[in-house]
Amino acid sequence: MEIVKRPHVENFIAWAADKPEVVVLTADLTNSSEVGKWRDTYPDRFFGMSMAEQNMMGFASGLAREGYVPYIHTFAVFIYRRPYDQLAMSIAYPNLNVKFVAFLPGITTPGGVTHQAIEDVSIMRATPNMTIVETGDATEVESVLDVAHAVDGPVYIRMLRGEVPRLFPKDEPMRLDEVRMLSDGEDVVIITAGITTEEAMRASVPLADAGIGVRHLHVSTHKPLDDPMILESIARSRYGVITLENHTIIGGLGSAVAEKMADAGSGKRLLRLGLRDTYAHGASRAYLMKEYGLDAAALVAGVEELTGIDTGITENDLAEARVEATHSLAKAEGL
Amino acid sequence: MTSPDTQNDWRVETQAVADRIRVRVLDHVLSHNGGYMSQALSSAEIFAMLYTRVLDLGPSTAPMIPQPFAGVPGADNQDFFNGGAYNGPKAAEYDRFIFSPAHYALVLYTTLIEVGRLSEDGLEQFDKDGSTVEMIGAEHSPGVETTTGSLAQALSQAGGIALARKRRGDTGKVWVMMSDGEFQEGQTWEAISEAAKFDLDNLRIVVDVNGQQCDGCMDAENYVDPLTGRIRAFGASAVEVDGHDLDALDAAMSMETGKPHFVMALTDPVRGLPIFEERAPLLHYLRFTSEDERDRYRAVYEEMVN
Ligand SMILES: Cc1ncc(C[n+]2csc(CCOP(=O)(O)OP(=O)(O)O)c2C)c(N)n1
Ligand SMILES: [Mg+2]
């Protein structure tokens, strides 16, 4: 698998070259949000807003009202937790063109509970006017800007940084509200987003070998989530559907799928995997994925639960997990 | 009256603790190929003063070797372990320590080791899976009473604790350690305002004014200097001191002003490790970019310990 180092850095610079309306705001996390080089390239379009996120939302609102398109770059938690009221009233309500580039989604950070964005999709889904997209690989990191820019209104982007795998062909960019089918089968539908897609792919060969037909769908748009392939796939599945999300199971991908199924009167079973209404703690990504059941092994257990079939798959059968070095040079700092 | 000799003693001991904090943190950063180094360099004297001279704490009630992480607080985890236990029992006469800039955790853990509240081996668990000795401390981490890695939330919580203690008539004070970056958040100013309004003279704050944040240098002329004046304008008392001068810190930290009191410790983010100046203005996190660079720091470390 190709690993791309910091795909956002150069891509964002090249992409913004012919878009003078694009400006960047950050709250003292320039390098950690991979926009240090962007600042040096376009110094007059970059605004360091100090560590003051609430105020930053207001400034972004004002800039957007004047025709600029602010791309706020900081950690996800510092977008939707502290300054939520400002985000909702100063930006979402007037439906302004502000794009939130939210780093460290879910448990992808060792920074502990204060840095882990585990309920952001839920809160953003509940926010009227908000579009929510999530990147799952380098191709999506490179194409998400076009998706966000084409939306006339605020967009929340769950962004990946550092060492990012390329799971999807470079010429198959992210498209708004279009899911990707990564494998096909009749038994179970597996729906993933962000880093859980890579996890599900680790289990795909062993599941196929065990004779379980999996239709694996990758979601990159959480809101809107209207691609008909989701309900069609669930309807034709023998056993039902499993969602696996790097997020609490309340209000995120699993909930969104549940709502769609209920609305459509689907009688299929749904198993929601993710954080079970709990905060997490500081540890490595691989450790937390295992502890909270977000990894390939948890998915296999979920398939067994849903189908009642003992697959016989063990940890050793799963493709090896990719581990990013704690002090990878692709990272700006410890976090 | 204490004799001049005894007076000298505390300085010797406190400085020794500060020096050992720098050495131990450098050792840790060398062996882990990275860490929050500048925070130790700027705040070593602040932490040494707090734990050897200023804070009136009872003996630690927590294990010398930290327990593994045992779950987040919640209905099914009622005996959640709080890291404040490393600062001794909560009692009317004792002070409380509220640690605000959670990324300074390594400095706090190291201080606890140097003053005998945490085993040296405790640091082995730093940033290890399943440990409470987290890189960004949370309220299960040694010495940490409140979860404040989302910065600038501690002062308000300390204000609430000070308000409760004042109502109860506790004689102990509430000490907060903050970083200067936290003064960019509006919440800090709301907290100062309310602490002054409620006459929280039991609330004391020491600030590591190192002029540094993630994006590098703050503009010292425009930022640090008016900071003290601004705090006063919000109704608290504030004094500026050399944050590496023990006598100056001692005088400022023992002042009784009848108001919430801020000690603005002006510090040098490369104090004791001048080689680190090469990295200026980006000093927030030190990670070696080559083995060669690490070797040069290792050589400095060898000089420090020999
Ligand atoms: C509310 C919030 N916003 C952003 C961050 C990310 N962050 C961590 S440390 C830091 C720098 C804050 O300044 P300071 O503590 O003075 O930095 P130092 O002196 O340690 O370099 C920032 C912005 C955070 N932890 N909390
Ligand atoms: Mg600072």
Side-chain angles (χ1 to χ4, degrees):
Chain A
M1 187 195 306
E2 185 200 356
I3 301 298
V4 187
K5 291 209 161 130
R6 304 174 163 225
H8 184 55
V9 175
E10 296 298 338
N11 179 66
F12 186 33
I13 290 171
W15 178 86
D18 62 352
K19 297 179 187 68
E21 74 279 14
V22 169
V23 294
V24 168
L25 275 64
T26 181
D28 193 25
L29 284 170
T30 303
N31 287 326
S32 296
S33 303
E34 296 193 340
V35 280
K37 196 166 174 195
W38 202 97
R39 172 200 55 205
D40 298 341
T41 312
Y42 308 115
D44 59 328
R45 286 202 267 153
F46 179 92
F47 304 101
M49 299 303 297
S50 301
M51 185 175 71
E53 295 82 3
Q54 295 170 315
N55 179 62
M56 175 165 65
M57 294 299 164
F59 268 71
S61 165
L63 284 160
R65 286 177 192 273
E66 294 300 315
Y68 288 99
V69 185
Y71 276 70
I72 287 180
H73 278 66
T74 187
F75 295 166
V77 284
F78 304 132
I79 290 172
Y80 75 94
R81 280 191 182 151
R82 175 158 325 202
Y84 180 72
D85 194 358
Q86 286 81 359
L87 178 152
M89 289 301 104
S90 301
I91 295 171
Y93 172 70
N95 194 35
L96 294 174
N97 249 329
V98 176
K99 317 299 174 186
F100 304 96
V101 186
F103 290 86
L104 306 185
I107 51 70
T108 54
T109 166
V113 63
T114 56
H115 286 63
Q116 291 161 338
I118 60 161
E119 76 285 35
D120 54 338
V121 176
S122 179
I123 287 171
M124 289 298 147
R125 281 185 67 230
T127 303
N129 288 338
M130 189 64 67
T131 295
I132 310 166
V133 292
E134 176 165 15
T135 56
D137 87 325
T139 295
E140 295 197 332
V141 168
E142 289 159 358
S143 51
V144 70
L145 298 171
D146 284 329
V147 173
H149 214 60
V151 174
D152 187 18
V155 180
Y156 181 83
I157 304 170
R158 272 191 141 199
M159 195 62 159
L160 296 176
R161 62 164 207 195
E163 295 175 18
V164 183
R166 188 177 302 283
L167 308 178
F168 314 127
K170 235 180 137 86
D171 58 1
E172 290 179 23
M174 178 193 284
R175 295 196 197 284
L176 190 73
D177 199 17
E178 259 183 42
V179 303
R180 297 175 193 263
M181 197 201 298
L182 304 181
S183 74
D184 202 9
E186 320 259 271
D187 295 319
V188 179
V189 178
I190 290 174
I191 306 180
T192 58
I195 63 164
T196 62
T197 295
E198 191 184 350
E199 278 307 308
M201 289 168 88
R202 288 178 56 213
S204 62
V205 171
L207 281 171
D209 289 350
I212 302 205
V214 171
R215 176 176 278 198
H216 179 193
L217 303 180
H218 167 78
V219 163
S220 52
T221 308
H222 289 279
K223 188 185 173 189
L225 185 62
D226 292 324
D227 187 330
M229 192 191 290
I230 293 177
L231 282 174
E232 282 165 21
S233 303
I234 294 170
R236 64 186 268 291
S237 67
R238 185 164 298 130
Y239 297 100
V241 51
I242 301 176
T243 54
L244 176 63
E245 59 194 305
N246 174 26
H247 187 271
T248 168
I249 57 170
I250 298 178
L253 180 63
S255 294
V257 171
E259 289 163 15
K260 297 194 77 61
M261 291 169 71
D263 285 349
S266 163
K268 298 290 178 182
R269 276 195 67 198
L270 163 66
L271 196 61
R272 288 172 297 145
L273 303 180
L275 288 157
R276 291 164 184 267
D277 195 17
T278 180
Y279 288 102
H281 60 112
S284 68
R285 166 173 154 177
Y287 181 90
L288 293 172
M289 289 192 88
K290 177 164 272 324
E291 178 178 9
Y292 292 104
L294 312 179
D295 63 354
L299 187 62
V300 170
V303 169
E304 295 188 343
E305 186 185 331
L306 196 70
T307 60
I309 297 169
D310 180 1
T311 63
I313 298 172
T314 67
E315 282 279 335
N316 293 337
D317 302 323
L318 299 167
E320 209 172 317
R322 192 177 54 81
V323 182
E324 188 179 356
T326 314
H327 281 104
S328 159
L329 285 176
K331 284 200 290 187
E333 49 163 278
L335 288 185
Chain B
M1 273 293 280
T2 39
S3 73
D5 269 1
T6 357
Q7 279 187 16
N8 221 18
D9 276 352
W10 78 259
R11 285 187 204 94
V12 171
E13 196 218 319
T14 304
Q15 191 59 56
V17 167
D19 294 346
R20 291 203 304 268
I21 290 171
R22 289 194 176 88
V23 170
R24 193 182 291 278
V25 170
L26 177 56
D27 178 34
H28 180 92
V29 169
L30 281 166
S31 57
H32 288 71
N33 196 29
Y36 290 96
M37 186 73 237
S38 68
Q39 291 76 4
L41 301 175
S42 58
S43 70
E45 279 78 18
I46 293 172
F47 277 90
M49 279 299 294
L50 281 167
Y51 274 90
T52 65
R53 179 88 177 151
V54 173
L55 291 171
D56 185 5
L57 303 177
S60 165
T61 60
M64 288 293 282
I65 302 267
Q67 293 160 323
F69 175 73
V72 296
D76 52 4
N77 188 20
Q78 298 286 3
D79 353 300
F80 177 82
F81 171 79
N82 183 283
Y86 281 87
N87 298 327
K90 291 179 187 169
E93 68 276 20
Y94 285 135
D95 290 346
R96 292 272 281 285
F97 178 56
I98 305 296
F99 170 63
S100 189
H103 61 288
Y104 277 62
L106 182 56
V107 193
L108 174 59
Y109 304 147
T110 305
T111 308
L112 292 174
I113 292 172
E114 302 308 343
V115 300
R117 288 176 184 267
L118 180 69
S119 156
E120 214 173 10
D121 299 336
L123 205 57
E124 300 281 301
Q125 298 177 30
F126 183 85
D127 202 23
K128 289 270 157 63
D129 287 341
S131 134
T132 50
V133 191
E134 291 189 18
M135 174 161 64
I136 307 291
E139 62 193 271
H140 46 247
S141 303
V144 183
E145 183 167 336
T146 54
T147 296
T148 49
S150 178
L151 295 178
Q153 294 197 24
L155 186 58
S156 303
Q157 296 185 59
I161 293 169
L163 184 58
R165 298 194 74 186
K166 197 170 160 128
R167 278 177 66 90
R168 242 185 354 239
D170 285 10
T171 51
K173 301 177 187 70
V174 179
W175 269 96
V176 187
M177 186 270 153
M178 293 180 70
S179 69
D180 51 357
E182 296 187 281
F183 288 78
Q184 295 175 341
E185 292 281 359
Q187 183 175 354
T188 297
W189 299 97
E190 296 174 19
I192 298 172
S193 215
E194 295 314 289
K197 184 174 91 188
F198 290 110
D199 290 322
L200 299 179
D201 54 353
N202 54 346
L203 184 61
R204 310 288 162 94
I205 302 94
V206 57
V207 185
D208 180 8
V209 186
N210 62 5
Q212 282 290 318
Q213 59 188 118
C214 289
D215 282 358
C217 244
M218 300 171 187
D219 188 336
E221 307 268 303
N222 296 320
Y223 183 70
V224 175
D225 192 33
L227 192 53
T228 306
R230 273 195 253 165
I231 293 170
R232 290 198 194 113
F234 272 64
S237 69
V239 287
E240 272 177 22
V241 294
D242 174 346
H244 304 295
D245 178 336
L246 297 184
D247 283 309
L249 281 169
D250 191 46
M253 293 172 95
S254 53
M255 275 171 74
E256 293 292 338
T257 64
K259 293 175 175 182
H261 178 55
F262 286 77
V263 176
M264 309 304 289
L266 309 186
T267 60
D268 168 8
V270 301
R271 181 83 169 196
L273 189 64
I275 183 180
F276 193 21
E277 182 73 38
E278 300 171 354
R279 292 287 195 105
L282 291 181
L283 302 174
H284 181 73
Y285 192 86
L286 172 59
R287 188 189 48 210
F288 303 110
T289 46
S290 68
E291 263 315 303
D292 173 62
E293 185 184 30
R294 189 173 1 183
D295 287 344
R296 289 192 293 117
Y297 278 77
R298 198 173 276 126
V300 176
Y301 171 79
E302 297 301 336
E303 270 171 44
M304 285 165 92
V305 290
N306 292 323

